[in-house]
Amino acid sequence: MKPFYVTTPIYYPNDKPHIGTAYSTIAADVLTRYQRLRGRPSRMLTGLDEHGLKIARAAEAQGLDTQAFTDKMQLPFREAWELLDTRYDDFIRTTEPRHKQRVQVLWDRIIARGDIYLGEYEDWYCVGCETFYTEKDLLEGKCPIHLQPIERIKESSYFFRLSKFGDKLLAFYEKNPDFVKPAGRFNEVKSFVREGLRDLSVSRTSFTWGIPVPNDPRHVMYVWFDALANYMTALGGPAEPGKAPLFDQFWPPSGEVVHIVGKDILRFHAIFWPAFLLSAGLPPPTQIWAHGWLTVNGQKMSKSLGNFLPPAPLAEVFGVDVLRYYLMRDIAFGQDGDFAHANLIARLNGELANGLGNLLNRVLASIVQKSFAGRVPASVPSARNAEDDTLEAEALRCAKQAAEHLNHVAPQRALESIWELVAAANRYVDRTEPWALVKRNETERLQQVVYQVLESLRMIGVMIAPFMPSKAAALRDQLGLPALVPNAGDDQWPNTWGGLAPNTQTRPGPALFPRLDKDQERAALAKLGIGAQPLLQALQLGQPDLEPTGPDVQHRQLGERQGQAVLVEAPARVVEEPVGQQPGHVVLEAALGDVGVGEPERHGGVLVEVAGGHAAPALERIGRGRVLQERRRDLAVTPSGDGGQRRSAPVSAGQDRTAGGSAPLGARMGAWRSTGTIPRAPGCRPTVV
Ligand code: ME8
């Protein structure tokens, strides 16, 4: 098996990491941990993209020297990745000398091939994307991604002859049919290339925060040229054979390289990057995996849009492993998915607590302790029956399938396969009724049954390790097994049945996944600043039978009045009509009188909705924004025309109920923005008191 090298995008440190960037990093970590467990030499890289105008401006806004700013901003990334238990081998920053020096080598190689030339450039530039757009790319004159005003730029520039690489790229794609995943995205890339490529501007002269172009220091390299090279420079490449051992070992043709990226940056990776490498006479990476976006109310969660969820409070409230599990399980890798607290809680209580936690508890806590003095009983072949054969076959099938899914970078499907085994083992316990065997003193059959269940748990404990490393270790510990230590060449995947040694001393411990009861759910959500009112909580937590009577909820929001930020509080009601792109969502209408939402930039990019407390601490918690002036206004509501009649929201069990007022701090911006104004509830006539 070739050595495996997986990378995350290197993130812009203009702001702190959020659950979207955490998603890419966790996915890369899961894949690397899996490959290590299979005994494959594996390496994971993450890091920061520290050059370019975006970073220079962010530093300027804070009044900091740019290097000092990036030195400061790297910390929250390192902390977040540590908190989320990601085990990367290297963390590269593009301001490091090791990177700068190797990028210049790459540049020189391309120059030597005659593929970079000096010219002049004029086009539209989005600093948020750090990319040029032509007139036809723009959306109503704005950047199509950030929906922000865009700058016209004209300057002397070096160009990369991308136009020359169209056919070469298409031939490379043809030869490497799995180069881009998912396949649908690969088709988009191919059509884009077939339409014809323009030469690419790869240097800038209007600012200096970048890597100087060799022999022409008036220019700094285009930030994407600099950034893409990180995957190679972190290994010490490009370099002659024998000069950079990691590069020799992990870069193709000796190694396999998988770049995990979000779909927003696929073109850079699938077109520019291989073109640079083909020009330089270097092999392109093996595969680019473009996953979808984590959304909030159907809108991409991002730093620029200011609607992002920081990972730390979620990890603190639900636990790191539960958060990792949720992200990998709830969202099909490659597709977009909405972050929904209600779904997270449902999966914690269902699949984790009732499914796996309960399976462990059912046999280990009492039967193994009482009937076998806490030791794993030996299986008894003469006491086997067809149920046992079915469970064993199912366990092997699930393990094989989970591995196949992970080999194909489908973490969600791998978890589905693992939970098929959890379900099969729980069914087996239901059918074999070990507690009845205890009563009837059928010792041999009991031994056999208990062994089957514990062995299934052993297999599950290995398979969940890449996803939930601490919970896997805790499960193994309860089974009396040591923590898994990956070893090159040693495949530890549960490919065979019967690995659990009889007589192993088990150590039953606390519940693996404590279930959250209603009060705990409420407390957890309140800690995250969500839902202080009973109806709101009911909607989030899945009680569709609650009929609202008075005003549905008290809704607080940071709004704007005559240029000032104000915190308003108003009764709100649940309406049927979804605002935004997610059908089935519950949306709140609040009667906020003449207080406007204002532009998000006015409040540092965030609209804050608080269910209790004041705006300032809320803003502090999410780490951005500034309250210009805070004032509290209560708006009284008098029922009018319809006699105070109210409709309840059309929610049904299993639906996502996190939109509307129940969304976390700052997250509702999308819903409000898409309406443009704050809707008034028809049953309410607000009066300012
Ligand atoms: O683009 N859902 O950095 P960046 C899922 N520096 N993933 C998300 C996400 C979301 N809502 N938001 C961000 C850059 N991501 C460049 C990369 S690489 C040579 C240079 C993830 O800080 C996703 O992987 O804007 C996306 O591609 C990446 O963060 C963008 O991070």
Side-chain angles (χ1 to χ4, degrees), residues 232-364:
M232 189 176 271
T233 63
L235 297 175
E240 297 307 318
K243 295 275 195 260
L246 288 173
F247 179 57
D248 291 344
Q249 186 187 5
F250 286 100
W251 200 263
S254 341
E256 262 183 33
V257 178
V258 177
H259 296 320
I260 302 289
V261 299
K263 64 181 184 181
D264 49 334
I265 55 174
L266 176 60
R267 280 186 196 171
F268 300 97
H269 284 80
I271 300 173
F272 299 176
W273 180 222
F276 298 155
L277 293 172
L278 289 173
S279 164
L282 292 160
T286 318
Q287 190 169 69
I288 309 214
W289 236 105
H291 64 67
W293 284 344
L294 241 64
T295 57
V296 179
N297 296 340
Q299 197 176 37
K300 187 195 173 201
M301 191 187 305
S302 81
K303 291 173 279 195
S304 314
L305 294 174
N307 60 348
F308 66 84
L309 302 173
L314 290 164
E316 187 196 325
V317 167
F318 298 110
V320 169
D321 279 13
V322 172
L323 179 61
R324 287 172 60 110
Y325 174 83
Y326 168 73
L327 289 174
M328 292 297 106
R329 177 66 188 82
D330 209 52
I331 298 144
F333 208 65
Q335 289 168 25
D336 292 350
D338 222 40
F339 189 98
H341 295 81
N343 290 358
L344 190 157
I345 292 173
R347 290 197 185 277
L348 164 60
N349 282 344
E351 292 148 12
L352 296 178
N354 287 353
L356 178 54
N358 190 34
L359 177 66
L360 179 68
N361 194 44
R362 290 173 93 177
V363 198
L364 197 68

Side-chain angles (χ1 to χ4, degrees), residues 27-256:
D29 180 61
V30 167
L31 295 178
T32 320
R33 283 178 183 269
Y34 165 72
Q35 296 289 354
R36 284 192 197 118
L37 202 54
R38 305 295 320 249
R40 189 169 180 190
S42 305
R43 191 169 177 83
M44 172 176 161
L45 172 72
T46 190
L48 297 176
D49 188 356
E50 300 190 343
H51 289 128
L53 200 50
K54 173 154 71 181
I55 304 300
R57 285 190 180 164
E60 202 180 297
Q62 291 204 9
L64 284 177
D65 161 73
T66 320
Q67 185 65 56
F69 172 73
T70 59
D71 288 348
K72 181 181 103 171
M73 291 305 292
Q74 63 162 325
L75 299 175
F77 283 87
R78 290 185 189 269
E79 280 161 15
W81 304 158
E82 180 156 339
L83 172 77
L84 296 171
D85 210 359
T86 59
R87 292 280 160 86
Y88 50 85
D89 299 274
D90 195 358
F91 186 104
I92 192 162
R93 299 175 59 195
T94 53
T95 49
E96 288 177 69
R98 61 165 173 160
H99 172 73
K100 291 185 195 171
Q101 195 225 351
R102 288 291 110 190
V103 178
Q104 287 177 326
V105 173
L106 180 66
W107 180 283
D108 281 340
R109 282 204 186 200
I110 298 176
I111 285 263
R113 300 273 176 143
D115 289 332
I116 288 181
Y117 64 92
L118 191 60
E120 187 164 83
Y121 202 83
E122 179 168 7
D123 222 332
W124 297 101
Y125 195 78
C126 170
V127 178
C129 301
E130 294 280 20
T131 197
F132 281 104
Y133 288 103
T134 55
E135 195 78 37
K136 72 173 173 32
D137 296 327
L138 306 184
L139 265 184
E140 294 171 2
K142 293 184 174 171
C143 162
I145 304 281
H146 294 95
L147 309 173
Q148 299 284 342
I150 192 153
E151 298 172 29
R152 187 83 184 162
I153 283 181
K154 180 178 181 179
E155 60 187 50
S156 150
S157 173
Y158 282 96
F159 285 84
F160 172 71
R161 288 188 204 282
L162 187 61
S163 57
K164 183 180 132 181
F165 283 86
D167 289 343
K168 291 191 173 80
L169 283 169
L170 290 170
F172 172 76
Y173 298 155
E174 189 75 28
K175 265 217 225 130
N176 297 277
D178 291 328
F179 180 59
V180 173
K181 289 278 177 186
R185 298 244 159 83
F186 200 7
N187 290 336
E188 288 166 21
V189 167
K190 288 180 198 161
S191 333
F192 188 83
V193 174
R194 272 192 215 107
E195 275 174 26
L197 297 171
R198 292 195 310 162
D199 286 354
L200 180 71
S201 161
V202 286
S203 79
R204 303 288 306 275
T205 52
S206 56
F207 64 93
T208 54
W209 184 242
I211 300 180
V213 164
N215 304 317
D216 194 352
R218 284 172 309 144
H219 290 253
V220 291
M221 290 178 196
Y222 173 43
V223 65
W224 273 101
F225 184 93
D226 163 355
L228 287 162
N230 90 90
Y231 302 128
M232 189 176 271
T233 63
L235 297 175
E240 297 307 318
K243 295 275 195 260
L246 288 173
F247 179 57
D248 291 344
Q249 186 187 5
F250 286 100
W251 200 263
S254 341
E256 262 183 33

